[in-house]
Amino acid sequence: MEDVNWEIPLAAYLDEAGEEPLSSCQNLKEHGIHYAFLRHIWSGNVVNLSDNSHAKLKKILLDEQISVIGIASDLGKAPANKLADISDETINNTANICKYYNASMVRVFIGEHDNYFTAEDIDNWLVRIQSIFLSHGIQPLIEITPD
């Protein structure tokens, strides 16, 4: 049997490598990690950054040679029976942020479970996000929380 040398890229949440994006990128590189998942940046979720903050973050990532593989959005972090109220514009905006960073994946929640949600609420949400994100070439990653 031949020896196989597999090179498996390792990624980390950028916010778990440090408090500021620049030091986070430097910490990742010191450990041989060149891929990141963006989640909490500066004062909140990456999808809620201003255009100027996105430009600043992208410059840091490019300068430090860190590639973004995914965006950990807070999309769908709402009561499950309110998922239908999230606009297609909001979902498309999140997809556009993924494309801005060349991220091929996005984390999406399936709603907070309470006494008012139905399986139909969640089914409809899953169909919507899958349809919209896949039309952009982005793979949605579904996160289920015990909320």
Side-chain angles (χ1 to χ4, degrees):
M1 179 181 239
E2 284 184 48
D3 285 338
V4 177
N5 250 345
W6 289 0
E7 206 171 298
I8 300 173
L10 182 61
Y13 280 107
L14 189 65
D15 60 285
E16 291 187 3
E19 291 186 23
E20 289 294 319
L22 178 58
S23 62
S24 296
C25 289
Q26 292 167 342
N27 288 337
L28 291 179
K29 285 176 37 179
E30 284 177 20
H31 293 89
I33 300 171
H34 299 279
Y35 300 95
F37 220 94
L38 302 181
R39 179 177 49 191
H40 190 272
I41 306 294
W42 292 303
S43 62
N45 189 275
V46 65
V47 299
N48 299 318
L49 292 177
S50 68
D51 290 346
N52 286 340
S53 293
H54 279 298
K56 182 178 174 183
L57 177 59
K58 189 167 186 177
K59 181 177 180 348
I60 291 169
L61 293 163
L62 290 171
D63 289 350
E64 296 300 317
Q65 300 176 336
I66 298 292
S67 298
V68 176
I69 63 163
I71 301 293
S73 78
D74 56 4
L75 195 61
K77 202 167 196 177
N81 66 327
K82 300 291 183 191
L83 294 172
D85 297 340
I86 298 172
S87 70
D88 286 356
E89 179 182 355
T90 299
I91 300 169
N92 279 304
N93 182 55
T94 302
N96 288 330
I97 290 167
C98 291
K99 293 190 315 192
Y100 179 76
Y101 291 103
N102 295 317
S104 61
M105 297 177 279
V106 63
R107 175 194 68 188
V108 179
F109 292 94
I110 63 161
E112 299 162 355
H113 298 183
D114 55 26
N115 295 330
Y116 305 104
F117 84 96
T118 66
E120 185 179 4
D121 293 327
I122 294 174
D123 288 346
N124 290 340
W125 175 245
L126 291 173
V127 168
R128 277 181 66 212
I129 61 168
Q130 182 175 355
S131 172
I132 292 172
F133 282 115
L134 291 179
S135 75
H136 286 277
I138 299 163
Q139 178 64 51
L141 305 173
I142 308 306
E143 183 163 330
I144 301 169
T145 61
D147 299 331

